Amino acid sequence: SYDRESTGGGYYVIEGMETTMQPDTLDGQQEYSISAGSARVGGFAWRQAAARRLRFAAVPDVMSINREPHSSATLETQRIKFDRTPVLQPATVSVQRQMTAEITHGPVVNSADVLPQNSVVKINSVKQGATTYNKDVDYKLVAGQVDWSLPGAEVAPGTKYMVDFEYISTEPAEDQTPYDFAVTGAVKDTTVLVDYQPALRRIDTIVIDAKGKLNVIKGVPSMWNPVAPVVPAGLLAIAKIWQSWDATRSVIVDQVRQVGMDVLQGYQEQHNQHTMDIAALRLAVDVAGRYSGLGRGMFADPMLDDSMRDQGMLQT
């Protein structure tokens, strides 16, 4: 009770208890090492003579991004970056592709022929031999079919013809990394849509209770500004974990540590020195302000030592 009353709670590290990040275990758990040391938790003393390891399965929170648009720059293989990273789960892309297929016209005049792909966006050309048919004059695109019901020219029933068309293909992302993916064969200047789930950044806190039990408290996840958790009464925060879910993951050691009397004495001496420096600065500014026109080249000497005097002359 004396410790709690004199320190405002009795939660602090006396010595050691420093946290370092270790490589993840083979089954994917995160591992941290807490060095030997001692602490006070709610006024109760805890001491550990050797370093201890903390393992736990850290699972990221995710958000769903649907139909994120990107522009295709070429038909060749290209890499496209996710807007939000890292992405640890497989993504799905919708790509506009171009295809040429041989179609057999139906046995009935003015009938419609089904194209071999779903989600057809447009028909670029329809040819039979040297004859090219005109869009919206001879044929039109209706529900993924070449509709020959228009009054223009028509291929003979039962004959084959070539159709060049574009369609939307929904497929898994190719060669995906946590930051980008590859696309091959997307029509130039069309939109590539991607559905994915980026991992949200989080700040977790490693805590210890009065009996020396280690635990991890999850923070509030966010894509941009995660919030560290509030440590409940009865627990001492040892360190924070910056959960970025990539190579930048790190440990933030911000524990409250006991300050010895010698350190406090050093702080007092620094404070006194700062007070003297501020007083000298105020005097110099005051003199320079009042006598700036008359006392050019003059300065105020606080007379603490000989540092502001002519070192070539004996000073008394």
Side-chain angles (χ1 to χ4, degrees):
S1 60
Y2 169 76
D3 187 70
R4 291 195 297 266
E5 292 171 0
S6 61
T7 62
Y11 293 91
Y12 55 88
V13 174
I14 300 173
E15 61 179 352
M17 305 290 288
E18 296 180 353
T19 303
T20 55
M21 186 170 61
Q22 305 297 315
D24 291 352
T25 61
L26 296 178
D27 58 355
Q29 295 189 75
Q30 293 185 4
E31 182 173 295
Y32 300 88
S33 176
I34 293 87
S35 66
S38 58
R40 289 270 183 170
V41 184
F44 295 95
W46 165 255
R47 180 179 296 276
Q48 59 185 42
R52 303 164 63 194
R53 291 183 182 272
L54 170 66
R55 297 186 182 95
F56 72 101
V59 179
D61 299 273
V62 298
M63 67 181 298
S64 295
I65 305 295
N66 297 319
R67 318 299 285 176
E68 181 179 277
H70 298 273
S71 179
S72 173
T74 176
L75 273 170
E76 305 299 326
T77 300
Q78 56 187 313
R79 299 207 66 85
I80 296 178
K81 294 183 178 180
F82 294 110
D83 285 350
R84 293 170 174 82
T85 58
V87 181
L88 307 180
Q89 301 179 8
T92 302
V93 296
S94 296
V95 182
Q96 186 166 327
R97 300 188 181 281
Q98 186 174 358
M99 179 178 181
T100 300
E102 186 179 60
I103 307 297
T104 301
H105 191 25
V108 180
V109 176
N110 295 335
S111 62
D113 303 323
V114 179
L115 293 170
Q117 294 290 345
N118 298 320
S119 303
V120 177
V121 177
K122 66 177 182 177
I123 296 176
N124 295 324
S125 66
V126 173
K127 297 180 179 180
Q128 188 180 55
T131 304
T132 300
Y133 294 87
N134 297 318
K135 179 181 177 182
D136 295 330
V137 176
D138 302 327
Y139 67 91
K140 61 182 178 179
L141 174 64
V142 177
Q145 305 173 81
V146 183
D147 187 347
W148 295 97
S149 62
L150 296 178
E154 181 180 352
V155 299
T159 60
K160 299 181 182 295
Y161 59 97
M162 304 301 294
V163 181
D164 183 285
F165 64 96
E166 296 177 14
Y167 66 98
I168 300 296
S169 174
T170 301
E171 57 201 46
E174 175 186 348
D175 191 19
Q176 179 181 333
T177 72
Y179 306 99
D180 59 7
F181 60 95
V183 172
T184 303
V187 177
K188 184 180 179 181
D189 296 329
T190 60
T191 301
V192 176
L193 301 176
V194 56
D195 298 340
Y196 64 100
Q197 293 182 317
L200 300 177
R201 294 169 178 83
R202 198 173 69 211
I203 301 175
D204 296 342
T205 301
I206 300 176
V207 296
I208 188 172
D209 63 15
K211 296 182 179 180
K213 182 179 179 181
L214 296 169
N215 207 342
V216 177
I217 303 177
K218 289 177 55 176
V220 180
S222 172
M223 179 55 64
W224 311 116
N225 298 307
V227 179
V230 176
V231 178
L235 298 175
L236 170 65
I238 298 296
K240 290 185 174 65
I241 306 171
W242 170 248
Q243 298 283 21
S244 58
W245 313 111
D246 57 15
T248 63
R249 189 183 84 201
S250 60
V251 172
I252 305 170
V253 180
D254 60 348
Q255 57 191 217
V256 177
R257 301 187 68 87
Q258 182 189 51
V259 179
M261 291 301 175
D262 56 339
V263 177
L264 292 177
Q265 179 64 29
Y267 291 159
Q268 182 63 48
E269 293 176 357
Q270 291 180 14
H271 176 73
N272 293 339
Q273 183 61 45
H274 293 162
T275 302
M276 296 301 295
D277 291 343
I278 292 174
L281 178 63
R282 286 178 176 174
L283 180 60
V285 171
D286 179 65
V287 171
R290 286 189 296 172
Y291 303 105
S292 59
L294 301 176
R296 181 180 179 183
M298 299 178 63
F299 57 90
D301 184 355
M303 300 183 182
L304 297 177
D305 51 34
D306 291 345
S307 61
M308 301 183 68
R309 305 178 187 177
D310 189 347
Q311 299 302 308
M313 297 178 62
L314 179 64
Q315 303 294 332
T316 64

